[in-house]
Structure formats: structure tokens, C-alpha cells
Amino acid sequence: MVNLEAAEKQTITSFWASVDPAAQGENALQRLLYCYPWSRRYFAKFGDLSTISAIRKNSHVRAHGHKVLSAVGDCIGHLGDIKGHLAQLSKLHCETLHVDPANFCLLGNTIVVVLASHFGAKFTPEVQAAFQKLVAEVAAGLSRKYH
Amino acid sequence: MTLTAAEKSCLASTFEKIAPKAEQYGSELFQRMFLGFPQTRTYFAHVDTSANSPQLSAHGAKIIASLGKAIKNVDNMSAALSDLSDLHAQSIRVDPSNFKYISHCLLVLLAAHLKADFTPQVQIAWDKFLAAVSAVLTEKYR
């Protein structure tokens, strides 16, 4: 679907070296759950997610955000075949988790916003474009095995 | 969709930070959109879309000014932006799917410049506001 050029792969890899999957992962999931409250439908087991302070205090959110962003980091280790790498996770999200793939784009864009606020002006339009391709590819990989 | 009083106030105070650099940020907004979502370039085939294009910075500044007008008239956006709604419906005719790209790129721009000040509360205010603006600009399409 999207082809990452060599320069874009390098940009992604070098910026990712300064990403803390625990901190930024928690930030991204907090923002998703707060800004797009319908996404909470998938996290009933997490308990209270009704306010920003409840979301911030929620240890499940912290743990899960870390898990999700680490998984994105794993994709960066497989930039040549993200779709293949995500085949099992795709089946999981379809058959077990029953997540609407629209949420993958929502979380992907939320991750881009978090990276922008983390890196500031260094997150130039060119850097953003590389990461937009990455999150699009991850979303495509996660929805590929849906049936 | 309704904005709370806190959200309206947040929009106004964020806007004060970006208004002084309307041309710079307007130009950056376009670069983020064209590079991140290349299909949006199709609406600007007649324009110099290079990074330092004076046409783009002038146009970007206009967009930011219009957002400022929308914020000032946030309880009555349909009326305040009526001319822009007409323009988008009759002349510009941007496919409605594109508004989410420019909206997302504006959120990224704000995040890059406000950094930690771009809190989830600021994000939700702008996200709701931009969705409302997009709805107003497409409301006369048919």
C-alpha cells in the first residue's frame, strides 16, 4: 500500500531511538481514550475511564499503552514487511478483540500527535510524512486478516 | 456537538499564540498536509506548492484568520462562515474526506509548537472545533 523510501526508513528509525514506549505509549492511549471516548468500548475491563484524571491514574492504561507502542516499535524492526509481521496480531484483533479497524487510524494519528508534542519543531513536515506512512502501514497490516 | 466554556476559552488562548505567526504556520500547515497526504495537492495544481511559496503562506494565513473568525463566533459559525460555505460548495468543492487531513495536520502543528502545553484537553477542544468547522464548510454541498 505505501512504500517507505530509504530516507524515510532512516528517519523513522533514528527518531524512534528517542522514543520511550512506556511514557509515549501511555500518553497516546490516554489521549485516545479521552479525546475519542467511543474507543473506551474496548476497555471495559480497565475500570474507570470517565475523566482525564481517572484515565491518568489507571494502571491498565499505563501498561497497555506501553504494550501497544512497543508493538509499533517492533514493526519498525520489520519495515520491509510490516503486513507479514502483523498477521497474527491482525487475526487477534479481528477474531478475539473485535476491534473496528477505524480505530487503528485513530490511534495511529494520535501517536503522530504525541510524537509531535514530544519532538517539537524537530518533528518537521518531512518527519511527519514518514510517520504517517508508518502508521498507515501498521493500520493496513492490522486490518489485513479481517474476515 | 457542543463546546464547553472551558474548551471555548482554550481555543481563544491557543489562537492568540498562533495568530502572530499566521503566515509561517499557514505555510507549515500546507507542507504537513501535502507531504503527509499527497492526494491533497490535487486541489493546488495551479499554485506554487514549494516550501517557501509566497502564495501558500498568504493562503495559509487566510485559513488561520478564518479559524480565528470561527473561534470568535463559535456559537454562530454557520452564519459567520456562510460566505466560506458558499465558496466551498460552489467553487472550491473539496471532497469532504479531505477536511480530516487538514484538521489532523493542524493538531500536529499545534502539538509541535506547544509541546507539553498541547494537553489532551487542548487537543479535544481543537479536534471538536475543527470537526464543527468542517461540517459548516460542507453544509451547503447539496
Side-chain angles (χ1 to χ4, degrees):
Chain A
M1 193 182 103
V2 284
N3 270 329
L4 282 164
E5 320 239 330
E8 288 169 330
K9 289 181 183 177
Q10 185 158 8
T11 297
I12 290 168
T13 309
S14 75
F15 270 73
W16 201 261
S18 308
V19 167
D20 174 359
Q24 270 87 68
E26 179 182 6
N27 190 342
L29 190 56
Q30 283 173 357
R31 281 175 194 266
L32 181 79
L33 294 169
Y34 180 67
C35 296
Y36 310 105
W38 53 95
S39 65
R40 294 173 205 172
R41 72 187 306 282
Y42 300 108
F43 300 99
K45 290 184 187 159
F46 282 17
D48 186 11
L49 298 174
S50 59
T51 62
I52 187 63
S53 59
I55 292 170
R56 281 195 170 124
K57 286 187 246 178
N58 193 303
S59 58
H60 297 286
V61 173
R62 189 172 317 122
H64 197 70
H66 186 177
K67 194 175 179 185
V68 167
L69 210 63
S70 297
V72 172
D74 288 343
C75 289
I76 294 174
H78 294 86
L79 287 176
D81 183 26
I82 290 180
K83 290 192 178 99
H85 173 71
L86 289 176
Q88 290 311 314
L89 269 178
S90 178
K91 282 195 192 149
L92 179 78
H93 281 76
C94 170
E95 294 165 6
T96 308
L97 303 174
H98 308 291
V99 176
D100 180 341
N103 291 280
F104 305 145
C105 298
L106 213 45
L107 182 56
N109 280 336
T110 302
I111 289 169
V112 171
V113 168
V114 164
L115 293 176
S117 87
H118 177 64
F119 287 111
K122 281 195 298 183
F123 200 73
T124 62
E126 290 77 8
V127 174
Q128 177 187 349
F131 276 97
Q132 294 295 165
K133 280 192 181 178
L134 174 72
V135 299
E137 193 66 5
V138 170
L142 281 175
S143 42
R144 196 146 175 265
K145 296 295 185 186
Y146 270 59
H147 57 91
Chain B
M1 149 161 49
T2 49
L3 290 159
T4 65
E7 285 165 349
K8 291 177 193 177
S9 155
C10 170
L11 292 172
S13 65
T14 312
F15 188 76
E16 266 172 41
K17 294 177 189 166
I18 65 173
K21 297 189 183 176
E23 285 193 354
Q24 175 195 331
Y25 288 170
S27 177
E28 182 187 325
L29 177 63
F30 275 122
Q31 292 312 310
R32 290 187 181 282
M33 193 176 72
F34 293 150
L35 292 175
F37 307 99
Q39 66 271 36
T40 57
R41 276 191 205 269
T42 57
Y43 293 97
F44 295 88
H46 55 288
V47 167
D48 171 11
T49 57
S50 59
N52 297 313
S53 155
Q55 275 181 296
L56 273 194
S57 51
H59 195 70
K62 256 205 242 175
I63 291 181
I64 297 211
S66 298
L67 290 175
K69 185 177 184 188
I71 290 171
K72 278 211 174 75
N73 295 279
V74 78
D75 292 322
N76 197 10
M77 278 203 288
S78 282
L81 301 181
S82 181
D83 288 349
L84 273 177
S85 302
D86 288 338
L87 191 69
H88 281 76
Q90 290 152 21
S91 163
I92 307 175
R93 293 173 292 183
V94 171
D95 186 282
S97 61
N98 290 282
F99 288 92
K100 62 180 184 284
Y101 300 130
I102 195 170
S103 299
H104 168 66
C105 288
L106 187 62
L107 293 184
V108 174
L109 187 154
L110 291 173
H113 291 286
L114 297 178
K115 298 191 76 175
D117 289 344
F118 192 68
T119 62
Q121 293 92 325
V122 175
Q123 179 173 344
I124 200 177
W126 276 88
D127 198 80
K128 286 167 73 173
F129 166 67
L130 292 170
V133 170
S134 304
V136 166
L137 291 179
T138 54
E139 72 186 3
K140 297 182 192 176
Y141 269 34
R142 54 182 174 174

